[in-house]
Amino acid sequence: MELSVAGYGCHVATGGQPFDPARSAWPPLVLIHGAANDCDAWHKVAGGLAAAGCALLVPDLPGHGLSGGEPLSSIEALADWLPSLLDSAGVTTAILVGHSMGSLVALDCAARHPQRVGGLALLGASAPMPVAEALLSSAATHPDRVLRMMNEFSLTAPFQLYGGGGHGVWGPGVTLAIMRRSPPGVLAIDLANCNNYRHGLDAAAQITCPTLLLVARRDRMTPRRNLPPLQSALRQVQRTEIPDCGHAMMNERPEAVVERLLKFLATPTTPVTR
């Protein structure tokens, strides 16, 4: 569907079902994509969640995909944009589900706008989320080189060789194709946003809503060894892992992502012992 958010058109997918929060057992879920992506990064997961009865808002962030406006130049600006999206959709409180850069946006929004966030799921998260200087500079001058590198490091080797989108669709190629259609300059802005966001742990310490950390065990982009500070900062946290999976978990293991998100929704107030 198409919404007007902060004066610009915003393309929002809904998982193939009409957006109707009244028919869902849970508050609406907002699925927030990562750097140089758009709503199609969630395509497989969104379909599974919608089939399970979730009401979904899966936006293209400003300047991404089919959404208008310029890409926002900070995680904080993106976090402040989300309540405007909720307002446009007529939603008071939502559960935010963010992947990679989107996890930082969801984290910061939950800290800055706690009254709008009833739950939080962070996929492929790390706080801070530093980006190598070589990647930051190359993103502006040789974006396709960086996109290919990101795609390679986001997937496990078996999926790169045998990854199946099914029916002739090459899974790894789907991930790269989504990133390649980003408008010029988006990659550099998004990577800078990740690198420049330095107060994620302070934000985490302010969050009181139930939070899920969903980890891919073979993630090379945001490896699980980086998680302990973020996990310790969160007050009410569950952590679960998907084995044999890389950073692009929504493409590589969508069924497992759906399963773990639904389990979290079913028991949102039970923190896991650290």
Side-chain angles (χ1 to χ4, degrees):
M1 65 180 181
E2 304 298 322
L3 297 175
S4 177
V5 182
Y8 293 97
C10 178
H11 177 72
V12 184
T14 58
Q17 300 290 334
F19 180 68
D20 185 3
R23 298 177 60 185
S24 176
W26 308 284
L29 274 64
V30 181
L31 310 186
I32 309 162
H33 64 73
N37 268 268
D38 58 39
C39 68
D40 279 349
W42 293 101
H43 177 71
K44 298 177 183 178
V45 168
L49 291 173
C54 297
L56 301 179
L57 295 171
V58 195
D60 290 343
L61 293 175
H64 295 68
L66 298 176
S67 288
E70 296 295 322
L72 302 184
S73 57
S74 72
I75 296 298
E76 295 88 342
L78 287 164
D80 286 340
W81 177 85
L82 285 177
S84 297
L85 170 70
L86 298 181
D87 290 343
S88 294
V91 172
T92 302
T93 304
I95 295 170
L96 304 184
V97 182
H99 175 254
S100 198
M101 181 187 78
S103 73
L104 298 181
V105 177
L107 178 75
D108 201 65
C109 183
R112 297 163 75 88
H113 305 281
Q115 73 280 8
R116 307 302 299 269
V117 182
L120 190 62
L122 308 177
L123 287 60
S126 175
M129 194 178 286
V131 180
E133 181 59 39
L135 287 182
L136 290 173
S137 58
S138 295
T141 57
H142 299 88
D144 199 65
R145 181 186 304 170
V146 176
L147 292 175
R148 291 197 306 271
M149 185 181 302
M150 288 172 59
N151 191 52
E152 178 181 351
F153 276 81
S154 292
L155 301 165
T156 58
F159 191 79
Q160 291 181 43
L161 290 173
Y162 309 110
H167 304 290
V169 177
W170 184 241
V174 170
T175 304
L176 183 58
I178 291 172
M179 293 192 292
R180 275 179 164 164
R181 70 190 185 200
S182 296
V186 164
L187 174 64
I189 292 170
D190 287 353
L191 292 184
N193 286 347
C194 294
N195 187 66
N196 295 339
Y197 184 68
R198 301 301 175 91
H199 56 270
L201 297 182
D202 292 335
Q206 301 175 44
I207 293 171
T208 59
C209 66
T211 302
L212 173 69
L213 290 175
L214 183 50
V215 186
R217 190 169 298 171
R218 298 176 66 184
D219 190 334
R220 293 183 289 171
M221 298 284 283
T222 52
R224 58 181 180 163
R225 66 175 179 271
N226 293 351
L227 265 183
L230 177 59
Q231 185 172 346
S232 296
L234 292 162
R235 301 185 192 183
Q236 192 176 177
V237 61
Q238 301 180 37
R239 173 174 168 168
T240 186
E241 296 188 0
I242 302 175
D244 300 322
C245 184
H247 186 67
M249 62 184 81
M250 299 97 71
N251 186 10
E252 203 166 338
R253 296 289 302 278
E255 297 88 354
V257 173
V258 170
E259 176 192 0
R260 283 154 175 81
L261 287 173
L262 290 175
K263 184 176 180 180
F264 170 66
L265 292 174
T267 56
T269 59
T270 306
V272 169
T273 302
R274 296 174 184 159

